[in-house]
Amino acid sequence: MKKVYKLLFLTIILNVADSIFYMNMLWYITDNLDNSYYLGIFFSITLIPDMFIFLLGPLIDKFNVKKMLFISVLVQILSLLIFAVFRMHISISVIFVIIFIFMMSSTFSYVIQETLIPKIVEKEKVVFANSIFEFSSRILDSFINSISSIMIASFGILIVFKYNLLVYILSILVLSTLKLNLDKNNINNKEISKKEKYKFKNYKYELKEGLIFLNNNKLLKDIAIIFLIVNFFNAIQAVAYPIYSKNFFSGEIYYGLLLGVKGLSGIVGSISSGYIIKGIKKSNLLGILLLLNGVFWMLAILTKNIFFNLFLFFLGYFFMSIYNIGFNSIFHIVPPKDLLGRINSTVDSLIAFAMPLGSYIAGIIVDNNNIIYTMMILPLCMIFFGGGDIFY
C-alpha cells in the first residue's frame, strides 16, 4: 500500500496547487479588472474543460500515463510562470487563454490520477484504495479553496503565487519517485482502450438514446429539468459571490469562510443524509429539500451579520448536499441497468453545457447595483420549484 499512499500524497499536493492557482486568478480578476463580465468569462472558462472529459479516455489508455501526468503538471507550471512574470504586459484575452490551458491540464491530470489506482494496487484492494481517495478528495475540496482565499487576503497574490510554484515543484519530485507496473496492465489497457474508442465513436448516438429515454420518463425528465435550471442559476450566483463578498463583507476572507462553510455542510450532509431521507415522504423528498435550501439561502443573502449569514448559508448548503444525494440516487435506481451510464452521462453533459452558459450570462447581468437582486434569483427559483413539487 506504500504506492497508494504516495499517489494519495501526490493527489493532495496537486489539489492544493490547483486550488491556490484558481483562487489567485479569481481574486486577481475581481480586484484588478473590476468588471463582472470578465468574472463571468473566468467561471465559464474553468467549467468548459469538464465538457471534454469523455474525450480523454482513448488518450490515457494509448500513452504512458506517468509521462502524460508529467506533461500536464509542467504545462500548469509554465502557465503559472507566464502569468506571474508577464501579467503586467499581456492583455486580458491572453490571460484567459492561459487560464483555459491551465484548467484543461488540471482536468487531464485529475482523470489520469483516477486511472493510476488500478495500475499500482492489487485487484482485491482497489475498492479500499478508491474509498481512501474519495474521502480525502471530499475533505480537501471542502477546505483548500477556503484557506487559499484567506492566504491571498493575508499575504497578497504575488507571494501566494511563489508558494504555488513550490507546491508544483514538490509534486514533480513526488511523481518522479512513483513507480508504475505498466507492463502488467498493458493487456487490460488495450481492452479498455477499445471500449473507450467505441464509446467515443458512438457518443452522439448514446447521447441521443439517453435523451429519448429521459424525454419518455416523466419523473426523470421533470427532475432533470429542475436540476438543470437550478445549476444554470447556481452558475450565475457563483459569479456574484466574489462581488457580494467585497460589497458587504471582508472580500477574500469572507469568501474563504463561505467556501469553508460550504464544504463543512457538504460533509455533514453526506453523513446525515441517510437518516434525513428516511424521515421524509419519498414523493416530496426533493421538493422539500429544494424548498428549505432556497428559504435559508434567501434569508442568508438578506442578512448582513456575518455569523448569522454564514450559519444560514450552512443550513442551505446542508440541504443542497442531501438534495444532490437524493437526485443521484433516483438516477441510479429508476433507469434500467443497461441504460444507466447513458442516462447519467446525458444529464452530466447537459449540465456541463448549462453551467458555463450561466456563468457567461452572469458576467453580463451582474453588477454592484443589482448584486442582491441577482443573487435572489437562485433561491426564488428553488422555492418555486420546491414548493411546486410539494403541492402539485
Side-chain angles (χ1 to χ4, degrees):
M1 293 297 287
K2 184 178 179 181
K3 291 181 180 179
V4 176
Y5 292 116
K6 188 175 286 187
L7 179 59
L8 177 61
F9 183 51
L10 175 64
T11 301
I12 291 172
I13 294 171
L14 289 174
N15 201 336
V16 170
D18 290 354
S19 294
I20 293 173
F21 181 87
Y22 174 87
M23 296 306 298
N24 253 336
M25 298 309 302
L26 169 63
W27 285 108
Y28 177 85
I29 292 170
T30 302
D31 292 337
N32 291 279
L33 300 180
D34 197 26
N35 189 321
S36 61
Y37 178 73
Y38 294 126
L39 200 57
I41 293 178
F42 168 78
F43 277 96
S44 295
I45 287 173
T46 60
L47 293 168
I48 286 174
D50 290 338
M51 297 164 55
F52 301 103
I53 288 178
F54 73 95
L55 297 172
L56 301 180
L59 292 175
I60 292 172
D61 291 321
K62 186 176 180 180
F63 300 104
N64 184 296
V65 289
K66 186 175 179 179
K67 288 182 180 178
M68 286 193 294
L69 189 53
F70 259 120
I71 293 171
S72 297
V73 176
L74 288 174
V75 169
Q76 290 176 278
I77 293 174
L78 183 61
S79 301
L80 189 158
L81 286 173
I82 291 173
F83 174 79
V85 174
F86 299 105
R87 68 188 185 283
M88 303 301 295
H89 309 286
I90 54 179
S91 67
I92 184 61
S93 299
V94 176
I95 291 175
F96 283 136
V97 170
I98 291 171
I99 294 172
F100 179 75
I101 293 172
F102 179 94
M103 295 306 300
M104 283 296 296
S105 298
S106 175
T107 301
F108 200 20
S109 172
Y110 282 124
V111 175
I112 292 172
Q113 290 169 55
E114 290 180 357
T115 66
L116 284 177
I117 294 177
K119 298 179 186 297
I120 63 174
V121 180
E122 295 84 352
K123 187 176 180 180
E124 61 274 11
K125 294 181 179 179
V126 168
V127 174
F128 174 70
N130 277 323
S131 65
I132 294 176
F133 277 79
E134 179 66 21
F135 182 73
S136 301
S137 177
R138 185 179 293 276
I139 293 177
L140 281 172
D141 290 342
S142 301
F143 299 109
I144 292 176
N145 284 347
S146 173
I147 295 171
S148 299
S149 187
I150 295 172
M151 284 176 59
I152 292 168
S154 303
F155 304 111
I157 288 177
L158 190 58
I159 297 297
V160 176
F161 260 130
K162 293 178 181 178
Y163 289 117
N164 199 181
L165 181 61
L166 291 175
V167 177
Y168 274 118
I169 292 173
L170 178 60
S171 72
I172 290 289
L173 295 175
V174 174
L175 179 58
S176 64
T177 64
L178 188 64
K179 296 181 180 179
L180 305 178
N181 300 322
L182 295 176
D183 293 337
K184 192 168 77 172
N185 292 280
N186 277 344
I187 296 175
N188 291 334
N189 285 347
K190 288 178 181 178
E191 291 177 358
I192 294 171
S193 181
K194 288 178 182 177
K195 292 179 182 177
E196 290 297 335
K197 287 176 183 177
Y198 173 79
K199 289 181 181 179
F200 171 68
K201 184 179 179 180
N202 294 279
Y203 177 73
K204 289 183 179 179
Y205 171 77
E206 293 184 348
L207 180 61
K208 182 180 179 181
E209 194 174 18
L211 283 170
I212 292 172
F213 183 88
L214 271 179
N215 189 54
N216 293 332
N217 188 297
K218 188 177 186 305
L219 172 64
L220 295 184
K221 182 173 72 172
D222 291 346
I223 294 174
I225 289 173
I226 293 172
F227 193 72
L228 189 67
I229 294 172
V230 168
N231 275 276
F232 173 81
F233 287 115
N234 193 30
I236 293 177
Q237 189 167 29
V239 175
Y241 270 140
I243 301 172
Y244 174 79
S245 302
K246 284 186 67 177
N247 286 2
F248 299 102
F249 297 102
S250 52
E252 294 94 330
I253 294 177
Y254 169 81
Y255 189 72
L257 292 173
L258 179 63
L259 293 177
V261 163
K262 176 183 178 181
L264 181 62
S265 64
I267 293 173
V268 175
S270 299
I271 295 171
S272 57
S273 60
Y275 301 100
I276 293 177
I277 289 174
K278 286 180 182 178
I280 301 177
K281 187 178 178 181
K282 296 296 183 291
S283 60
N284 295 333
L285 175 64
L286 294 185
I288 292 173
L289 293 171
L290 200 61
L291 177 65
L292 289 171
N293 187 184
V295 168
F296 284 118
W297 270 2
M298 183 173 65
L299 293 173
I301 292 167
L302 297 173
T303 301
K304 299 304 180 288
N305 179 285
I306 187 170
F307 299 105
F308 195 37
N309 172 278
L310 291 172
F311 176 69
L312 290 169
F313 269 122
F314 172 87
L315 293 176
Y317 278 118
F318 171 77
F319 288 112
M320 173 52 74
S321 68
I322 302 175
Y323 172 85
N324 288 333
I325 292 170
F327 174 87
N328 290 329
S329 299
I330 290 173
F331 271 80
H332 286 159
I333 294 171
V334 175
K337 289 184 179 179
D338 60 323
L339 289 177
L340 195 61
R342 265 162 278 190
I343 301 301
N344 284 276
S345 63
T346 298
V347 175
D348 290 342
S349 297
L350 292 173
I351 293 171
F353 280 97
M355 293 192 71
L357 179 62
S359 297
Y360 180 76
I361 291 175
I364 298 173
I365 66 174
V366 172
D367 62 42
N368 291 324
N369 298 320
N370 67 8
I371 190 68
I372 294 294
Y373 300 111
T374 306
M375 290 189 67
M376 290 293 285
I377 295 174
L378 176 60
L380 288 174
C381 172
M382 290 176 168
I383 292 171
F384 174 79
F385 284 115
D389 183 65
I390 294 170
F391 298 110
Y392 298 101

